[in-house]
Amino acid sequence: MSIGLLREGTVIPAHPLALTAGRALDERRQRALTRYYLASGAGGAAVAVHTTQFEIRRAGLLRPVLELAAEVVGKEAGRPFVMVAGACGDTAQAVAEAELAASLGYHAVLLSPQVPGAGEPELLARARAVGEVLPVIGFYLQEAVGGRRLGPSFWRSLSEQESVVAIKMAPFDRYRTVDVVRAVAASGRDDLALYTGNDDNILADLLAPVAGRRIVGGLLGQWAVWTRAAVLMFEEVRRAWAGDDEVLRSLLARAGDLTDANGAVFDVAGGFHGCIAGVHEVLRRQGLLAGTWCLDPGEGLSPGQAAEIARVSAAYPWLVDDEFVAAHLDDWLR
């Protein structure tokens, strides 16, 4: 059922990590974030991914973070909800992380492409091994945050693996996004779902076919914030695809606003240094997080980033969900 929802297309926020000032896991706020995504109407959540901070593995937090999200969803969802677990490292590590996720009830694995020294054949073999444990979501990660260039032949070969059910395209590059879509088409896989991870171009990805294929949903760090508004926007996208030209024109007129807002949240001016802290700042302003702390003390907001986030929050009221959060925050923090 959940894989069916993934293929149909939905809103999947990349789940952040809630920390105390001492950089310990804040379990109460971590649960509150998961409740926020459920209440917002998201169709799933991706946990232990880049927005959750890859460092949770070295900090011994991978299992606790996966467990907390699975616990809240298992008890409170009451509907299909796609649970995606991030997996990192070489084949042995990625398989072990997939096995952990499977034991906790996760439905799919988002594979990080960050494997030092591994070529494309090794990445394909790793995906095949992980696919024996759980369905796989391929991941084209932008180079600015540690990704690498992967050629069309890689994406075609990955698409041909039956265990691959979706691909998240986040190269932040139109040419490379087209490479992926064309490769999927060449594989003959009509059942493989395409998801945008291009936080800089969300609405354009969702509203217009790319190389003849529709991008059906988003798995996005941007959707970790203002998630209720993102869900409402995604409902409008569906109306536009159903033929509502007025909604289509309205969405196109707002596409640049969303990109501007993402530039502030992801700290484009600072070379993405504050991309995770920027997500935290939005959630801190709403009361969901107590601060912007990251596991790495060197990560934080760039100079002027908080002011930029305040600017876009005020400039684009359709994009924010502050009133929705305020109405439910006490319940989520229970």
Side-chain angles (χ1 to χ4, degrees):
M1 188 74 168
S2 294
I3 293 298
L5 176 58
L6 179 71
R7 286 188 166 122
E8 177 186 339
T10 192
V11 170
I12 302 180
H15 203 305
L17 178 68
L19 295 175
T20 67
R23 292 188 167 81
L25 177 62
D26 187 333
E27 293 191 7
R28 182 171 70 105
R29 291 185 181 274
Q30 191 71 19
R31 290 189 180 93
L33 286 174
T34 307
R35 291 182 179 122
Y36 166 47
Y37 300 132
L38 283 171
S40 295
V47 187
V49 294
H50 176 254
T51 307
T52 325
Q53 302 175 54
F54 291 137
E55 292 84 357
I56 60 174
R57 292 152 175 86
R58 289 196 296 272
L61 294 177
L62 177 62
R63 177 183 283 273
V65 166
L66 288 173
E67 285 178 338
L68 285 171
E71 173 191 322
V72 171
V73 171
K75 291 180 179 178
E76 302 181 26
R79 60 181 173 87
F81 193 81
V82 185
M83 293 296 289
V84 178
C88 293
D90 61 15
T91 299
Q93 178 182 339
V95 168
E97 293 186 3
E99 290 173 342
L100 170 61
S103 73
L104 296 172
Y106 282 75
H107 304 116
V109 169
L110 180 70
L111 270 180
S112 167
Q114 296 175 306
V115 186
E120 291 185 0
E122 289 77 20
L123 293 179
L124 290 168
R126 181 183 69 144
R128 190 172 294 107
V130 170
E132 294 179 3
V133 180
L134 278 176
V136 168
I137 301 173
F139 185 10
Y140 205 166
L141 177 65
Q142 64 157 319
E143 291 177 73
V145 292
R148 56 186 289 187
R149 182 159 197 164
L150 296 164
S153 63
F154 170 84
W155 294 108
R156 176 166 180 172
S157 295
L158 183 70
S159 300
E160 290 171 347
Q161 295 185 18
E162 291 185 7
S163 59
V164 175
V165 293
I167 294 176
K168 168 182 173 171
M169 301 174 293
F172 283 41
D173 183 300
R174 304 314 295 159
Y175 301 107
R176 297 185 191 183
T177 299
V178 171
D179 281 347
V180 176
V181 179
R182 290 182 61 203
V184 172
S187 75
R189 287 287 303 276
D190 293 331
D191 62 333
L192 196 155
L194 294 171
Y195 272 69
T196 182
N198 291 319
D199 303 75
D200 64 337
N201 212 24
I202 296 169
L203 277 170
D205 273 356
L206 292 173
L207 287 171
V210 177
R213 289 286 294 266
R214 180 178 172 182
I215 296 174
V216 299
L219 198 167
L220 296 158
Q222 175 65 39
W223 283 355
V225 301
W226 303 318
T227 311
R228 180 56 187 163
V231 169
L232 295 175
M233 182 185 70
F234 189 69
E235 292 173 359
E236 288 187 281
V237 168
R238 286 181 162 161
R239 287 168 55 194
W241 273 98
D244 191 325
D245 289 341
E246 183 176 349
V247 168
L248 173 61
R249 288 192 295 272
S250 173
L251 288 168
L252 289 172
R254 287 177 273 157
D257 299 349
L258 180 53
T259 298
D260 183 27
N262 178 257
V265 174
F266 272 30
D267 188 28
V268 174
F272 297 93
H273 170 78
C275 63
I276 292 175
V279 168
H280 292 178
E281 172 64 7
V282 175
L283 297 170
R284 183 202 65 79
R285 287 167 55 91
Q286 294 180 315
L288 279 157
L289 292 184
T292 63
W293 310 291
C294 299
L295 286 171
D296 180 354
E299 286 193 43
L301 294 169
S302 290
Q305 188 181 358
E308 274 293 283
I309 289 171
R311 175 187 67 81
V312 299
S313 298
Y316 310 125
W318 68 271
L319 183 62
V320 304
D321 61 1
D322 293 357
E323 292 183 4
F324 173 76
V325 173
H328 299 280
L329 184 59
D330 288 344
D331 179 53
W332 298 337
L333 287 169
R334 65 185 184 274

